[in-house]
Amino acid sequence: MKKMDEMEMSINLKAIKWSGTFTNIALLVWSIYNFIHTHTLTLPFYILNIEIAIYYCTTQILRWKMDDMDGRKSIIRYFIGVILVVLIVGILAHFFPK
């Protein structure tokens, strides 16, 4: 397999960006449609959120590995935010069951 030059890499990165954008929009529309009709969160919602979390964590970890201190601070803020959201949702689910 030959190594890509700058033009091929640019083309591939743009294709990945547009295909990822389409996938995210499709999963979002599908999630909203399912939520309106079933009043539950279905698989597309979880896939979309996991994909966004993986993207965010990967970019921050790679920034951290390049000795960017903002990457380290962002990871810590992200995990604290996730923990707070999980706690708030858990408390709301406990006090307001179906």
Side-chain angles (χ1 to χ4, degrees):
M1 185 171 171
K2 71 175 186 141
K3 193 171 182 175
M4 289 190 289
D5 63 0
E6 290 85 13
M7 184 183 72
E8 288 178 276
M9 191 170 296
S10 175
I11 291 169
N12 283 337
L13 288 175
K14 286 179 184 178
I16 290 169
K17 180 181 92 169
W18 283 105
S19 65
T21 301
F22 168 77
T23 304
N24 287 342
I25 291 170
L27 286 172
L28 179 64
V29 169
W30 190 6
S31 299
I32 292 170
Y33 176 81
N34 282 346
F35 185 74
I36 290 171
H37 289 291
T38 64
H39 300 293
T40 59
L41 299 175
T42 56
L43 186 60
F45 174 79
Y46 295 113
I47 291 172
L48 177 63
N49 285 310
I50 290 169
E51 187 270 334
I52 291 170
I54 289 171
Y55 174 80
Y56 181 78
C57 288
T58 303
T59 57
Q60 297 309 316
I61 289 169
L62 292 174
R63 286 177 62 191
W64 183 0
K65 286 186 176 183
M66 299 295 260
D67 290 330
D68 184 2
M69 290 306 291
D70 289 336
R72 180 179 295 179
K73 290 177 185 176
S74 294
I75 291 172
I76 293 169
R77 279 188 243 130
Y78 176 74
F79 284 121
I80 289 172
V82 168
I83 290 169
L84 287 175
V85 167
V86 168
L87 286 174
I88 290 170
V89 169
I91 290 169
L92 290 173
H94 176 70
F95 288 113
F96 300 104
K98 288 185 178 179

